[in-house]
mmCIF file of all heavy atoms in Angstrom:
data_model
loop_
_atom_site.group_PDB
_atom_site.id
_atom_site.type_symbol
_atom_site.label_atom_id
_atom_site.label_comp_id
_atom_site.label_asym_id
_atom_site.label_seq_id
_atom_site.Cartn_x
_atom_site.Cartn_y
_atom_site.Cartn_z
ATOM 1 N N GLU V 805 37.126 114.035 -18.802
ATOM 2 C CA GLU V 805 37.724 114.407 -17.529
ATOM 3 C C GLU V 805 37.744 113.227 -16.545
ATOM 4 O O GLU V 805 38.736 113.040 -15.818
ATOM 5 C CB GLU V 805 36.951 115.582 -16.909
ATOM 6 C CG GLU V 805 37.037 116.875 -17.705
ATOM 7 C CD GLU V 805 35.966 116.987 -18.788
ATOM 8 O OE1 GLU V 805 35.358 115.939 -19.117
ATOM 9 O OE2 GLU V 805 35.730 118.101 -19.288
ATOM 10 N N HIS V 806 36.678 112.466 -16.532
ATOM 11 C CA HIS V 806 36.625 111.290 -15.659
ATOM 12 C C HIS V 806 37.729 110.299 -16.024
ATOM 13 O O HIS V 806 38.391 109.728 -15.136
ATOM 14 C CB HIS V 806 35.251 110.628 -15.784
ATOM 15 C CG HIS V 806 35.111 109.365 -14.996
ATOM 16 N ND1 HIS V 806 34.900 109.339 -13.636
ATOM 17 C CD2 HIS V 806 35.174 108.058 -15.393
ATOM 18 C CE1 HIS V 806 34.826 108.079 -13.223
ATOM 19 N NE2 HIS V 806 34.990 107.287 -14.266
ATOM 20 N N GLU V 807 37.950 110.094 -17.320
ATOM 21 C CA GLU V 807 39.006 109.180 -17.763
ATOM 22 C C GLU V 807 40.376 109.693 -17.364
ATOM 23 O O GLU V 807 41.275 108.900 -17.036
ATOM 24 C CB GLU V 807 38.920 108.990 -19.275
ATOM 25 C CG GLU V 807 37.657 108.292 -19.754
ATOM 26 C CD GLU V 807 37.513 106.903 -19.165
ATOM 27 O OE1 GLU V 807 38.548 106.223 -18.988
ATOM 28 O OE2 GLU V 807 36.376 106.496 -18.880
ATOM 29 N N LEU V 808 40.569 110.999 -17.383
ATOM 30 C CA LEU V 808 41.856 111.562 -16.977
ATOM 31 C C LEU V 808 42.114 111.309 -15.492
ATOM 32 O O LEU V 808 43.243 111.010 -15.093
ATOM 33 C CB LEU V 808 41.892 113.064 -17.263
ATOM 34 C CG LEU V 808 41.892 113.499 -18.729
ATOM 35 C CD1 LEU V 808 42.043 115.007 -18.835
ATOM 36 C CD2 LEU V 808 42.990 112.809 -19.501
ATOM 37 N N ILE V 809 41.082 111.435 -14.684
ATOM 38 C CA ILE V 809 41.240 111.185 -13.249
ATOM 39 C C ILE V 809 41.645 109.735 -13.002
ATOM 40 O O ILE V 809 42.578 109.449 -12.236
ATOM 41 C CB ILE V 809 39.931 111.518 -12.506
ATOM 42 C CG1 ILE V 809 39.636 113.013 -12.601
ATOM 43 C CG2 ILE V 809 40.023 111.091 -11.037
ATOM 44 C CD1 ILE V 809 38.270 113.404 -12.062
ATOM 45 N N LEU V 810 40.954 108.820 -13.651
ATOM 46 C CA LEU V 810 41.289 107.407 -13.485
ATOM 47 C C LEU V 810 42.677 107.100 -14.027
ATOM 48 O O LEU V 810 43.435 106.324 -13.434
ATOM 49 C CB LEU V 810 40.246 106.535 -14.192
ATOM 50 C CG LEU V 810 38.808 106.633 -13.687
ATOM 51 C CD1 LEU V 810 37.925 105.630 -14.419
ATOM 52 C CD2 LEU V 810 38.727 106.421 -12.183
ATOM 53 N N GLY V 811 43.012 107.702 -15.169
ATOM 54 C CA GLY V 811 44.330 107.484 -15.757
ATOM 55 C C GLY V 811 45.452 107.995 -14.880
ATOM 56 O O GLY V 811 46.588 107.502 -14.948
ATOM 57 N N ALA V 812 45.146 108.964 -14.038
ATOM 58 C CA ALA V 812 46.139 109.503 -13.118
ATOM 59 C C ALA V 812 46.221 108.692 -11.827
ATOM 60 O O ALA V 812 46.931 109.077 -10.896
ATOM 61 C CB ALA V 812 45.816 110.957 -12.789
ATOM 62 N N GLY V 813 45.492 107.586 -11.769
ATOM 63 C CA GLY V 813 45.542 106.723 -10.585
ATOM 64 C C GLY V 813 44.750 107.226 -9.413
ATOM 65 O O GLY V 813 45.068 106.904 -8.254
ATOM 66 N N ALA V 814 43.695 108.007 -9.655
ATOM 67 C CA ALA V 814 42.886 108.571 -8.578
ATOM 68 C C ALA V 814 41.426 108.177 -8.754
ATOM 69 O O ALA V 814 41.067 107.466 -9.704
ATOM 70 C CB ALA V 814 43.037 110.089 -8.543
ATOM 71 N N TYR V 815 40.563 108.647 -7.858
ATOM 72 C CA TYR V 815 39.137 108.375 -7.909
ATOM 73 C C TYR V 815 38.363 109.671 -8.156
ATOM 74 O O TYR V 815 38.767 110.744 -7.697
ATOM 75 C CB TYR V 815 38.650 107.745 -6.601
ATOM 76 C CG TYR V 815 39.279 106.413 -6.291
ATOM 77 C CD1 TYR V 815 40.044 106.243 -5.142
ATOM 78 C CD2 TYR V 815 39.111 105.324 -7.136
ATOM 79 C CE1 TYR V 815 40.625 105.021 -4.847
ATOM 80 C CE2 TYR V 815 39.684 104.103 -6.850
ATOM 81 C CZ TYR V 815 40.438 103.955 -5.703
ATOM 82 O OH TYR V 815 41.016 102.744 -5.420
ATOM 83 N N ASP V 816 37.249 109.561 -8.850
ATOM 84 C CA ASP V 816 36.405 110.705 -9.172
ATOM 85 C C ASP V 816 35.237 110.751 -8.186
ATOM 86 O O ASP V 816 34.406 109.837 -8.161
ATOM 87 C CB ASP V 816 35.901 110.569 -10.614
ATOM 88 C CG ASP V 816 35.045 111.734 -11.050
ATOM 89 O OD1 ASP V 816 34.907 112.707 -10.279
ATOM 90 O OD2 ASP V 816 34.505 111.684 -12.170
ATOM 91 N N VAL V 817 35.132 111.814 -7.378
ATOM 92 C CA VAL V 817 34.076 111.888 -6.365
ATOM 93 C C VAL V 817 32.702 112.096 -6.990
ATOM 94 O O VAL V 817 31.673 111.860 -6.339
ATOM 95 C CB VAL V 817 34.354 113.020 -5.353
ATOM 96 C CG1 VAL V 817 35.643 112.765 -4.606
ATOM 97 C CG2 VAL V 817 34.388 114.383 -6.042
ATOM 98 N N SER V 818 32.646 112.522 -8.256
ATOM 99 C CA SER V 818 31.358 112.776 -8.913
ATOM 100 C C SER V 818 30.953 111.657 -9.861
ATOM 101 O O SER V 818 30.067 111.835 -10.701
ATOM 102 C CB SER V 818 31.420 114.096 -9.694
ATOM 103 O OG SER V 818 32.404 114.027 -10.714
ATOM 104 N N ALA V 819 31.572 110.487 -9.728
ATOM 105 C CA ALA V 819 31.345 109.394 -10.679
ATOM 106 C C ALA V 819 29.898 108.924 -10.708
ATOM 107 O O ALA V 819 29.435 108.396 -11.722
ATOM 108 C CB ALA V 819 32.262 108.220 -10.351
#
Side-chain angles (χ1 to χ4, degrees):
E805 295 87 344
H806 176 78
E807 295 300 324
L808 292 185
I809 295 172
L810 298 184
Y815 298 118
D816 182 5
V817 298
S818 62

